[in-house]
Coordinates of all heavy atoms in Angstrom, one line a residue:
Q249 N -26.6 -22.1 11.1 CA -27.2 -23.1 12.1 C -26.2 -23.8 12.9 O -26.5 -24.5 13.8 CB -28.1 -24.1 11.4 CG -29.3 -23.4 10.8 CD -30.4 -24.4 10.4 OE1 -30.2 -25.6 10.5 NE2 -31.4 -24.0 9.9
R250 N -24.9 -23.6 12.5 CA -23.9 -24.2 13.4 C -22.7 -23.4 13.4 O -22.4 -22.5 12.5 CB -23.5 -25.7 12.9 CG -22.9 -25.7 11.5 CD -22.7 -27.2 11.0 NE -22.2 -27.1 9.7 CZ -20.9 -27.1 9.4 NH1 -20.0 -27.3 10.4 NH2 -20.5 -27.2 8.2
M251 N -21.8 -23.6 14.4 CA -20.7 -22.9 14.5 C -19.5 -23.5 13.8 O -19.3 -24.7 14.0 CB -20.3 -22.6 16.0 CG -19.1 -21.8 16.2 SD -18.9 -21.5 18.0 CE -17.2 -20.9 18.0
E252 N -18.9 -22.9 12.8 CA -17.8 -23.4 12.1 C -16.5 -23.6 13.0 O -16.4 -22.8 13.9 CB -17.4 -22.5 11.0 CG -18.5 -22.4 9.9 CD -18.7 -23.7 9.2 OE1 -17.9 -24.5 9.0 OE2 -19.9 -23.9 8.7
P253 N -15.7 -24.6 12.8 CA -14.6 -24.8 13.8 C -13.4 -23.8 13.6 O -12.6 -23.7 14.4 CB -14.1 -26.2 13.4 CG -14.7 -26.5 12.1 CD -15.9 -25.6 12.0
D254 N -13.5 -23.1 12.4 CA -12.3 -22.2 12.1 C -12.8 -21.1 11.2 O -13.9 -21.2 10.6 CB -11.1 -23.0 11.6 CG -11.5 -23.6 10.3 OD1 -12.6 -23.5 9.8 OD2 -10.6 -24.4 9.8
I255 N -12.0 -20.1 11.0 CA -12.2 -19.0 10.0 C -11.5 -19.3 8.8 O -10.2 -19.3 8.9 CB -11.9 -17.7 10.6 CG1 -12.7 -17.4 11.9 CG2 -12.1 -16.6 9.6 CD1 -12.3 -16.1 12.6
S256 N -12.1 -19.6 7.7 CA -11.5 -20.0 6.5 C -11.4 -18.8 5.6 O -12.1 -17.8 5.8 CB -12.3 -21.0 5.8 OG -13.5 -20.6 5.4
V257 N -10.6 -18.9 4.5 CA -10.5 -17.8 3.6 C -11.9 -17.6 2.9 O -12.3 -16.4 2.8 CB -9.5 -18.2 2.5 CG1 -9.5 -17.2 1.4 CG2 -8.0 -18.3 3.1
T258 N -12.6 -18.7 2.7 CA -13.9 -18.5 2.1 C -14.9 -17.7 3.0 O -15.6 -16.9 2.5 CB -14.5 -20.0 1.8 OG1 -13.6 -20.6 1.0 CG2 -15.8 -19.8 1.2
S259 N -14.8 -18.0 4.3 CA -15.6 -17.4 5.3 C -15.4 -15.8 5.2 O -16.3 -15.0 5.4 CB -15.4 -17.9 6.7 OG -15.7 -19.2 6.8
W260 N -14.0 -15.5 5.2 CA -13.7 -14.1 5.1 C -14.1 -13.4 3.9 O -14.7 -12.3 3.9 CB -12.1 -14.0 5.3 CG -11.7 -12.5 5.2 CD1 -10.8 -12.2 4.2 CD2 -11.9 -11.4 5.9 NE1 -10.5 -10.8 4.4 CE2 -11.3 -10.3 5.5 CE3 -12.7 -11.3 7.1 CZ2 -11.3 -9.1 6.0 CZ3 -12.8 -10.0 7.6 CH2 -12.0 -8.9 7.1
E261 N -14.1 -14.1 2.8 CA -14.5 -13.6 1.5 C -16.0 -13.4 1.5 O -16.6 -12.4 1.0 CB -14.1 -14.5 0.3 CG -12.6 -14.4 0.2 CD -12.1 -15.4 -0.8 OE1 -12.9 -16.2 -1.4 OE2 -10.9 -15.4 -1.2
D262 N -16.7 -14.4 2.0 CA -18.2 -14.3 2.2 C -18.6 -13.1 3.0 O -19.6 -12.4 2.8 CB -18.8 -15.6 2.7 CG -18.7 -16.7 1.8 OD1 -18.4 -16.5 0.6 OD2 -18.9 -17.9 2.3
F263 N -17.9 -12.9 4.2 CA -18.1 -11.8 5.1 C -18.0 -10.4 4.4 O -18.8 -9.5 4.5 CB -17.2 -11.9 6.2 CG -17.3 -10.7 7.2 CD1 -18.4 -10.5 8.0 CD2 -16.2 -9.8 7.2 CE1 -18.5 -9.4 8.9 CE2 -16.3 -8.6 8.0 CZ -17.4 -8.5 8.9
L264 N -16.9 -10.4 3.6 CA -16.6 -9.1 2.9 C -17.7 -8.8 1.8 O -18.2 -7.8 1.6 CB -15.3 -9.0 2.2 CG -14.1 -8.9 3.1 CD1 -12.8 -9.1 2.4 CD2 -14.2 -7.6 3.9
T265 N -18.2 -9.9 1.2 CA -19.3 -9.8 0.2 C -20.5 -9.2 0.8 O -21.2 -8.3 0.3 CB -19.5 -11.2 -0.5 OG1 -18.3 -11.6 -1.2 CG2 -20.6 -11.0 -1.5
E266 N -20.9 -9.9 2.0 CA -22.0 -9.4 2.7 C -21.9 -8.0 3.1 O -22.8 -7.1 3.0 CB -22.2 -10.3 4.0 CG -23.5 -10.0 4.7 CD -24.7 -10.2 4.0 OE1 -24.8 -11.1 3.1 OE2 -25.8 -9.5 4.3
C267 N -20.7 -7.6 3.6 CA -20.4 -6.1 4.0 C -20.6 -5.2 2.8 O -21.2 -4.1 3.0 CB -19.0 -6.0 4.6 SG -18.8 -6.7 6.2
G268 N -20.1 -5.7 1.6 CA -20.3 -4.9 0.4 C -21.9 -4.6 0.1 O -22.1 -3.6 -0.5
H269 N -22.7 -5.5 0.4 CA -24.1 -5.3 0.2 C -24.7 -4.2 1.2 O -25.6 -3.5 0.7 CB -24.9 -6.6 0.5 CG -24.7 -7.7 -0.4 ND1 -24.8 -7.6 -1.8 CD2 -24.3 -9.0 -0.3 CE1 -24.4 -8.7 -2.4 NE2 -24.1 -9.6 -1.4
H270 N -24.1 -4.0 2.3 CA -24.5 -3.0 3.2 C -23.7 -1.7 3.0 O -24.3 -0.6 3.3 CB -24.3 -3.5 4.7 CG -25.1 -4.7 4.9 ND1 -26.5 -4.6 5.2 CD2 -24.7 -6.0 5.0 CE1 -26.9 -5.9 5.3 NE2 -25.9 -6.8 5.3
E271 N -22.5 -1.7 2.6 CA -21.7 -0.6 2.3 C -20.9 -0.6 1.1 O -19.9 -1.5 1.0 CB -20.7 -0.4 3.6 CG -19.8 0.8 3.5 CD -20.4 2.1 3.3 OE1 -21.4 2.5 4.0 OE2 -20.0 2.8 2.3
S272 N -21.3 0.0 0.1 CA -20.7 -0.2 -1.2 C -19.2 0.1 -1.4 O -18.5 -0.5 -2.2 CB -21.5 0.7 -2.2 OG -21.3 2.1 -1.9
S273 N -18.7 0.9 -0.5 CA -17.2 1.2 -0.6 C -16.4 0.0 -0.3 O -15.2 -0.1 -0.7 CB -16.9 2.3 0.5 OG -17.1 2.0 1.8
V274 N -16.9 -1.0 0.4 CA -16.2 -2.2 0.8 C -15.8 -2.9 -0.5 O -14.7 -3.4 -0.6 CB -17.0 -3.2 1.6 CG1 -16.3 -4.5 1.8 CG2 -17.3 -2.5 3.0
T275 N -16.6 -2.9 -1.6 CA -16.3 -3.5 -2.8 C -15.1 -3.0 -3.6 O -14.5 -3.7 -4.4 CB -17.5 -3.6 -3.7 OG1 -17.9 -2.2 -4.1 CG2 -18.7 -4.3 -3.2
S276 N -14.7 -1.7 -3.2 CA -13.6 -1.1 -3.9 C -12.3 -1.2 -3.1 O -11.3 -0.7 -3.6 CB -13.8 0.3 -4.2 OG -14.0 1.0 -3.0
W277 N -12.4 -1.9 -2.0 CA -11.0 -2.0 -1.2 C -10.1 -2.9 -1.9 O -10.5 -4.0 -2.6 CB -11.4 -2.7 0.2 CG -12.1 -2.0 1.2 CD1 -12.4 -0.7 1.0 CD2 -12.7 -2.4 2.4 NE1 -13.2 -0.3 2.2 CE2 -13.2 -1.3 3.0 CE3 -12.7 -3.6 3.0 CZ2 -13.9 -1.5 4.2 CZ3 -13.3 -3.7 4.2 CH2 -13.9 -2.6 4.9
N278 N -8.8 -2.6 -1.9 CA -7.8 -3.4 -2.5 C -7.4 -4.5 -1.6 O -7.8 -4.5 -0.4 CB -6.6 -2.6 -3.0 CG -5.9 -1.9 -1.8 OD1 -5.8 -2.4 -0.7 ND2 -5.4 -0.6 -2.0
E279 N -6.6 -5.5 -2.1 CA -6.3 -6.7 -1.3 C -5.4 -6.3 0.0 O -5.6 -6.9 1.0 CB -5.5 -7.6 -2.2 CG -6.3 -8.3 -3.2 CD -7.5 -8.9 -2.7 OE1 -7.4 -9.7 -1.7 OE2 -8.7 -8.7 -3.3
S280 N -4.6 -5.3 -0.1 CA -3.9 -4.8 1.0 C -4.8 -4.3 2.2 O -4.5 -4.6 3.3 CB -2.9 -3.7 0.6 OG -2.2 -3.2 1.7
T281 N -5.7 -3.5 1.8 CA -6.7 -3.0 2.8 C -7.4 -4.2 3.5 O -7.5 -4.3 4.7 CB -7.6 -2.0 2.1 OG1 -7.0 -1.0 1.6 CG2 -8.7 -1.6 3.2
K282 N -7.9 -5.2 2.7 CA -8.6 -6.4 3.1 C -7.8 -7.2 4.1 O -8.2 -7.6 5.1 CB -9.1 -7.3 2.0 CG -10.1 -6.6 1.1 CD -10.5 -7.5 -0.1 CE -11.4 -6.9 -1.0 NZ -11.7 -7.7 -2.1
L283 N -6.4 -7.3 3.7 CA -5.5 -8.0 4.6 C -5.3 -7.3 5.9 O -5.3 -7.9 6.9 CB -4.2 -8.3 3.8 CG -3.2 -9.1 4.5 CD1 -3.7 -10.5 4.9 CD2 -1.9 -9.2 3.7
K284 N -5.1 -6.0 5.9 CA -4.9 -5.2 7.1 C -6.1 -5.3 8.0 O -5.9 -5.5 9.2 CB -4.7 -3.7 6.8 CG -3.3 -3.5 6.3 CD -3.1 -2.1 5.9 CE -1.8 -1.8 5.2 NZ -1.7 -0.4 4.8
I285 N -7.2 -5.3 7.5 CA -8.5 -5.4 8.3 C -8.6 -6.9 8.9 O -8.9 -7.0 10.0 CB -9.8 -5.1 7.5 CG1 -9.7 -3.5 7.2 CG2 -11.0 -5.5 8.3 CD1 -10.8 -3.0 6.2
F286 N -8.3 -7.8 8.0 CA -8.3 -9.2 8.5 C -7.4 -9.4 9.6 O -7.6 -10.0 10.6 CB -8.1 -10.1 7.4 CG -8.1 -11.6 7.8 CD1 -9.2 -12.3 7.9 CD2 -6.8 -12.3 7.9 CE1 -9.3 -13.6 8.3 CE2 -6.9 -13.6 8.3 CZ -8.1 -14.3 8.5
N287 N -6.2 -8.9 9.5 CA -5.2 -9.1 10.5 C -5.6 -8.4 11.8 O -5.3 -8.9 12.9 CB -3.8 -8.5 10.1 CG -3.2 -9.5 9.0 OD1 -3.3 -10.7 9.0 ND2 -2.3 -8.9 8.1
G288 N -6.3 -7.2 11.7 CA -6.7 -6.6 12.8 C -7.8 -7.3 13.6 O -7.8 -7.5 14.8
I289 N -8.7 -7.9 12.9 CA -9.8 -8.7 13.4 C -9.2 -9.9 14.1 O -9.5 -10.3 15.1 CB -10.8 -9.0 12.3 CG1 -11.6 -7.8 11.9 CG2 -11.8 -10.1 12.8 CD1 -12.5 -7.9 10.7
A290 N -8.3 -10.6 13.3 CA -7.6 -11.8 13.9 C -6.9 -11.5 15.2 O -7.0 -12.2 16.2 CB -6.6 -12.4 12.9
R291 N -6.2 -10.3 15.2 CA -5.5 -10.0 16.5 C -6.5 -9.7 17.7 O -6.3 -10.2 18.8 CB -4.7 -8.7 16.3 CG -3.8 -8.3 17.5 CD -2.9 -7.0 17.2 NE -3.8 -5.9 17.2 CZ -4.1 -5.2 16.1 NH1 -3.6 -5.4 15.0 NH2 -4.9 -4.1 16.2
I292 N -7.6 -9.1 17.4 CA -8.6 -8.9 18.4 C -9.2 -10.2 18.9 O -9.3 -10.4 20.1 CB -9.7 -7.9 17.9 CG1 -9.3 -6.5 17.7 CG2 -10.9 -8.0 18.8 CD1 -10.1 -5.7 16.8
L293 N -9.5 -11.1 18.0 CA -10.0 -12.4 18.4 C -9.0 -13.3 19.1 O -9.4 -13.9 20.1 CB -10.5 -13.1 17.1 CG -11.7 -12.6 16.4 CD1 -11.9 -13.3 15.1 CD2 -12.9 -12.5 17.2
L294 N -7.7 -13.1 18.8 CA -6.7 -13.8 19.5 C -6.6 -13.2 21.0 O -6.5 -14.0 22.0 CB -5.3 -13.7 18.9 CG -5.1 -14.6 17.7 CD1 -3.9 -14.2 16.9 CD2 -4.9 -16.0 18.3
E295 N -6.5 -12.0 21.1 CA -6.5 -11.3 22.4 C -7.6 -11.6 23.3 O -7.5 -11.7 24.5 CB -6.2 -9.8 22.3 CG -4.9 -9.4 21.7 CD -4.7 -8.0 21.4 OE1 -5.6 -7.2 21.9 OE2 -3.7 -7.6 20.8
A296 N -8.8 -11.7 22.6 CA -10.1 -12.1 23.4 C -10.2 -13.6 23.6 O -11.2 -14.0 24.2 CB -11.2 -11.6 22.7
K297 N -9.2 -14.3 23.1 CA -9.2 -15.7 23.2 C -10.3 -16.5 22.5 O -10.8 -17.5 23.0 CB -9.1 -16.2 24.7 CG -7.8 -15.7 25.4 CD -7.7 -16.1 26.8 CE -6.3 -15.5 27.2 NZ -6.1 -15.4 28.6
Y298 N -10.8 -15.9 21.5 CA -11.8 -16.5 20.6 C -11.1 -17.4 19.5 O -11.7 -18.2 18.8 CB -12.8 -15.6 19.9 CG -13.8 -15.1 20.9 CD1 -13.7 -13.9 21.7 CD2 -15.0 -15.8 21.0 CE1 -14.6 -13.6 22.6 CE2 -16.0 -15.4 21.9 CZ -15.7 -14.3 22.6 OH -16.7 -13.9 23.5
L299 N -9.8 -17.2 19.3 CA -9.0 -18.0 18.4 C -7.9 -18.7 19.2 O -7.3 -18.1 20.1 CB -8.3 -17.2 17.3 CG -9.3 -16.5 16.3 CD1 -8.5 -15.7 15.2 CD2 -10.0 -17.7 15.5
A300 N -7.7 -20.0 18.8 CA -6.7 -20.8 19.5 C -5.3 -20.3 19.1 O -4.4 -20.1 20.0 CB -6.8 -22.3 19.1
D301 N -5.1 -20.0 17.8 CA -3.8 -19.4 17.4 C -4.0 -18.8 16.0 O -5.1 -19.2 15.3 CB -2.7 -20.4 17.3 CG -3.0 -21.6 16.5 OD1 -2.9 -21.5 15.2 OD2 -3.2 -22.7 17.0
R302 N -3.1 -18.0 15.5 CA -3.2 -17.3 14.3 C -3.0 -18.2 13.1 O -3.7 -18.1 12.0 CB -2.2 -16.1 14.2 CG -2.1 -15.3 13.0 CD -3.4 -14.5 12.8 NE -3.4 -13.5 11.8 CZ -3.7 -13.8 10.5 NH1 -4.1 -15.0 10.1 NH2 -3.6 -12.9 9.6
K303 N -2.2 -19.2 13.3 CA -1.9 -20.1 12.2 C -3.1 -21.0 11.7 O -3.4 -21.0 10.5 CB -0.7 -21.0 12.5 CG -0.2 -21.8 11.3 CD 1.0 -22.6 11.7 CE 1.5 -23.4 10.5 NZ 2.7 -24.2 10.8
S304 N -3.7 -21.6 12.7 CA -4.9 -22.5 12.4 C -6.2 -21.8 12.2 O -7.1 -22.2 11.5 CB -5.1 -23.5 13.5 OG -5.5 -22.9 14.7
M305 N -6.3 -20.6 12.8 CA -7.5 -19.8 12.9 C -8.7 -20.6 13.5 O -9.9 -20.4 13.1 CB -7.9 -19.2 11.5 CG -6.9 -18.2 10.9 SD -6.7 -16.8 12.0 CE -8.2 -15.9 11.6
K306 N -8.4 -21.5 14.3 CA -9.4 -22.4 15.0 C -10.1 -21.7 16.1 O -9.5 -21.0 16.9 CB -8.7 -23.6 15.5 CG -9.7 -24.7 16.1 CD -9.0 -26.0 16.3 CE -9.9 -27.0 16.8 NZ -10.9 -27.4 15.8
I307 N -11.4 -21.6 16.0 CA -12.2 -20.9 17.0 C -12.3 -21.8 18.3 O -12.6 -23.0 18.2 CB -13.6 -20.7 16.4 CG1 -13.5 -19.8 15.1 CG2 -14.5 -20.0 17.5 CD1 -14.8 -19.6 14.4
T308 N -12.1 -21.1 19.4 CA -12.2 -21.7 20.7 C -13.7 -21.4 21.2 O -14.0 -20.2 21.3 CB -11.3 -21.2 21.7 OG1 -11.3 -19.8 21.8 CG2 -9.8 -21.7 21.3
P309 N -14.5 -22.4 21.5 CA -15.8 -22.2 22.0 C -15.8 -21.5 23.3 O -14.9 -21.7 24.2 CB -16.4 -23.6 22.2 CG -15.5 -24.5 21.5 CD -14.2 -23.8 21.4
R310 N -16.7 -20.5 23.5 CA -16.8 -19.7 24.7 C -17.9 -20.3 25.6 O -18.9 -20.6 25.1 CB -17.0 -18.3 24.4 CG -16.0 -17.6 23.5 CD -14.5 -17.8 23.9 NE -14.3 -17.1 25.1 CZ -13.2 -17.2 25.8 NH1 -12.2 -18.0 25.3 NH2 -13.0 -16.7 27.0
D311 N -17.6 -20.2 26.9 CA -18.7 -20.6 27.8 C -19.6 -19.4 28.0 O -19.1 -18.2 28.1 CB -18.1 -21.0 29.1 CG -17.3 -22.3 29.1 OD1 -17.7 -23.1 28.2 OD2 -16.4 -22.5 29.8
L312 N -20.9 -19.6 28.1 CA -21.8 -18.6 28.4 C -21.7 -18.2 29.9 O -21.7 -19.1 30.7 CB -23.2 -19.1 28.0 CG -24.4 -18.1 27.9 CD1 -24.0 -17.0 26.9 CD2 -25.6 -18.8 27.5
H313 N -21.6 -16.9 30.1 CA -21.5 -16.5 31.6 C -22.8 -17.0 32.3 O -23.9 -16.9 31.8 CB -21.4 -15.0 31.6 CG -21.1 -14.5 32.9 ND1 -21.9 -14.3 34.0 CD2 -19.9 -14.1 33.4 CE1 -21.3 -13.9 35.0 NE2 -20.0 -13.7 34.7
P314 N -22.6 -17.5 33.5 CA -23.6 -18.1 34.3 C -24.8 -17.1 34.5 O -25.9 -17.5 34.6 CB -23.0 -18.5 35.7 CG -21.6 -18.6 35.4 CD -21.3 -17.7 34.2
V315 N -24.5 -15.8 34.7 CA -25.5 -14.8 35.0 C -26.4 -14.7 33.7 O -27.6 -14.5 33.7 CB -24.9 -13.5 35.4 CG1 -26.0 -12.4 35.5 CG2 -24.2 -13.6 36.7
V316 N -25.7 -14.6 32.5 CA -26.4 -14.5 31.3 C -27.3 -15.8 31.0 O -28.5 -15.7 30.6 CB -25.4 -14.3 30.1 CG1 -26.2 -14.4 28.7 CG2 -24.7 -13.0 30.3
R317 N -26.7 -17.0 31.3 CA -27.4 -18.2 31.1 C -28.7 -18.2 32.1 O -29.8 -18.6 31.6 CB -26.6 -19.4 31.5 CG -27.2 -20.7 31.1 CD -26.2 -21.9 31.2 NE -26.7 -23.0 30.4 CZ -27.8 -23.6 30.6 NH1 -28.7 -23.2 31.5 NH2 -28.2 -24.7 29.8
L318 N -28.5 -17.8 33.3 CA -29.6 -17.8 34.2 C -30.7 -16.8 33.7 O -32.0 -17.1 33.8 CB -29.2 -17.4 35.7 CG -30.3 -17.3 36.8 CD1 -30.9 -18.7 36.9 CD2 -29.6 -16.8 38.1
Y319 N -30.3 -15.7 33.3 CA -31.3 -14.7 32.8 C -32.1 -15.2 31.6 O -33.3 -15.1 31.7 CB -30.5 -13.4 32.3 CG -31.3 -12.4 31.6 CD1 -31.9 -11.4 32.4 CD2 -31.5 -12.4 30.3 CE1 -32.6 -10.4 31.8 CE2 -32.3 -11.4 29.7 CZ -32.9 -10.3 30.4 OH -33.7 -9.4 29.9
L320 N -31.5 -16.0 30.7 CA -32.2 -16.5 29.6 C -33.2 -17.7 30.0 O -34.2 -17.8 29.5 CB -31.2 -17.0 28.5 CG -30.4 -15.9 27.8 CD1 -29.3 -16.4 27.0 CD2 -31.3 -14.9 27.1
V321 N -32.6 -18.5 30.9 CA -33.5 -19.6 31.4 C -34.7 -19.1 32.1 O -35.8 -19.5 31.9 CB -32.6 -20.5 32.4 CG1 -33.5 -21.5 33.1 CG2 -31.5 -21.3 31.6
E322 N -34.5 -18.1 33.0 CA -35.6 -17.5 33.8 C -36.7 -16.9 32.8 O -37.8 -16.9 33.1 CB -35.1 -16.4 34.7 CG -34.3 -17.1 35.9 CD -33.8 -15.9 36.8 OE1 -33.7 -14.8 36.4 OE2 -33.4 -16.3 37.9
R323 N -36.3 -16.4 31.6 CA -37.1 -15.8 30.7 C -37.6 -16.8 29.6 O -38.2 -16.5 28.6 CB -36.5 -14.6 30.1 CG -36.6 -13.4 31.1 CD -35.5 -12.5 30.9 NE -35.6 -11.5 32.0 CZ -35.1 -11.7 33.3 NH1 -34.5 -12.8 33.5 NH2 -35.1 -10.7 34.1
N324 N -37.3 -18.1 29.8 CA -37.7 -19.1 28.8 C -37.2 -18.8 27.4 O -37.9 -19.1 26.4 CB -39.2 -19.4 28.9 CG -39.6 -20.7 28.4 OD1 -38.8 -21.7 28.5 ND2 -40.7 -20.8 27.8
E325 N -36.0 -18.3 27.2 CA -35.4 -18.0 26.0 C -34.6 -19.2 25.4 O -33.5 -19.1 25.2 CB -34.5 -16.8 26.1 CG -35.2 -15.4 26.4 CD -36.0 -15.0 25.3 OE1 -35.9 -15.5 24.0 OE2 -36.8 -14.0 25.5
K326 N -35.4 -20.3 25.1 CA -34.8 -21.5 24.7 C -34.0 -21.4 23.4 O -32.9 -21.9 23.3 CB -35.8 -22.6 24.6 CG -36.3 -23.1 25.9 CD -37.5 -24.1 25.8 CE -38.1 -24.4 27.1 NZ -39.2 -25.3 27.0
F327 N -34.6 -20.7 22.5 CA -34.0 -20.5 21.1 C -32.7 -19.8 21.3 O -31.7 -20.2 20.7 CB -34.9 -19.8 20.2 CG -34.3 -19.6 18.8 CD1 -34.2 -20.6 17.9 CD2 -33.9 -18.3 18.5 CE1 -33.6 -20.4 16.7 CE2 -33.3 -18.0 17.2 CZ -33.2 -19.1 16.4
V328 N -32.7 -18.7 22.0 CA -31.6 -17.8 22.2 C -30.4 -18.7 22.9 O -29.2 -18.6 22.4 CB -31.8 -16.6 23.0 CG1 -30.5 -15.8 23.2 CG2 -32.8 -15.7 22.2
L329 N -30.8 -19.4 23.9 CA -29.8 -20.2 24.6 C -29.2 -21.2 23.7 O -28.0 -21.5 23.7 CB -30.5 -20.9 25.7 CG -29.7 -20.8 27.0 CD1 -30.6 -20.0 28.0 CD2 -29.5 -22.1 27.6
E330 N -30.0 -21.9 22.8 CA -29.5 -22.9 21.9 C -28.6 -22.3 20.9 O -27.5 -22.9 20.6 CB -30.6 -23.6 21.1 CG -31.5 -24.5 22.0 CD -32.7 -25.0 21.2 OE1 -32.8 -24.9 20.0 OE2 -33.6 -25.6 21.8
C331 N -28.9 -21.1 20.5 CA -28.0 -20.5 19.5 C -26.6 -20.1 20.1 O -25.6 -20.3 19.6 CB -28.6 -19.2 19.0 SG -30.0 -19.5 17.9
L332 N -26.7 -19.6 21.4 CA -25.4 -19.2 22.1 C -24.6 -20.4 22.6 O -23.4 -20.3 22.6 CB -25.8 -18.3 23.3 CG -26.4 -16.9 22.9 CD1 -26.9 -16.3 24.1 CD2 -25.4 -16.1 22.1
E333 N -25.2 -21.5 22.8 CA -24.5 -22.7 23.3 C -24.2 -23.7 22.2 O -23.5 -24.7 22.5 CB -25.3 -23.3 24.4 CG -25.4 -22.5 25.7 CD -26.1 -23.1 26.8 OE1 -27.0 -23.9 26.6 OE2 -25.8 -22.8 27.9
R334 N -24.6 -23.5 21.0 CA -24.3 -24.4 19.9 C -23.0 -24.4 19.5 O -22.3 -23.3 19.3 CB -25.2 -24.0 18.7 CG -25.1 -24.9 17.5 CD -26.0 -24.5 16.4 NE -27.4 -24.8 16.9 CZ -28.4 -24.0 16.5 NH1 -28.2 -23.1 15.7 NH2 -29.6 -24.3 16.9
T335 N -22.3 -25.5 19.4 CA -20.9 -25.6 19.0 C -20.7 -26.5 17.8 O -19.6 -26.6 17.3 CB -20.0 -26.1 20.1 OG1 -20.5 -27.4 20.6 CG2 -20.0 -25.1 21.3
K336 N -21.8 -27.2 17.3 CA -21.7 -28.1 16.2 C -22.8 -27.9 15.3 O -23.8 -27.5 15.5 CB -21.6 -29.6 16.6 CG -20.4 -29.9 17.5 CD -20.4 -31.4 17.8 CE -19.0 -31.7 18.6 NZ -19.1 -33.1 19.0

């Protein structure tokens, strides 16, 4: 119901646990594989400017594109808009 300010170790572990429920092979990954995947995801998020820096793993809120916002407003998609614009 809210956006976390950063990606914590616990968040990553919870994410992997959830993935394991959908794909059983995830549960057999060793720590090295998990770290490589985490580093790849972090690099992508950094390049896309969703993370402020790799050290803090602090998430930078993204602005909703004006065209997307207008589309949702015109269709009275209040719930979707609230979810996309929620930062706390």
Side-chain angles (χ1 to χ4, degrees):
Q249 292 192 359
R250 64 185 178 94
M251 185 173 164
E252 295 295 330
D254 57 10
I255 299 174
S256 67
V257 172
T258 304
S259 298
W260 174 242
E261 291 170 357
D262 291 346
F263 173 73
L264 288 177
T265 299
E266 184 64 29
C267 289
H269 294 306
H270 300 284
E271 176 56 51
S272 60
S273 65
V274 173
T275 59
S276 64
W277 290 352
N278 62 37
E279 292 305 312
S280 174
T281 300
K282 292 176 187 178
L283 182 59
K284 285 178 187 176
I285 292 171
F286 179 77
N287 286 331
I289 290 170
R291 188 179 69 248
I292 291 167
L293 293 173
L294 277 165
E295 289 175 11
K297 298 184 178 158
Y298 280 91
L299 287 180
D301 61 71
R302 178 68 169 87
K303 187 175 181 178
S304 71
M305 296 299 285
K306 188 165 183 65
I307 297 171
T308 56
R310 306 305 301 170
D311 292 329
L312 195 55
H313 192 282
V315 173
V316 173
R317 189 171 200 302
L318 180 62
Y319 177 88
L320 294 170
V321 168
E322 287 175 345
R323 284 154 186 79
N324 201 30
E325 292 287 350
K326 293 177 184 176
F327 177 74
V328 175
L329 228 114
E330 287 174 13
C331 290
L332 292 172
E333 293 182 328
R334 184 175 293 148
T335 58
K336 292 182 181 179

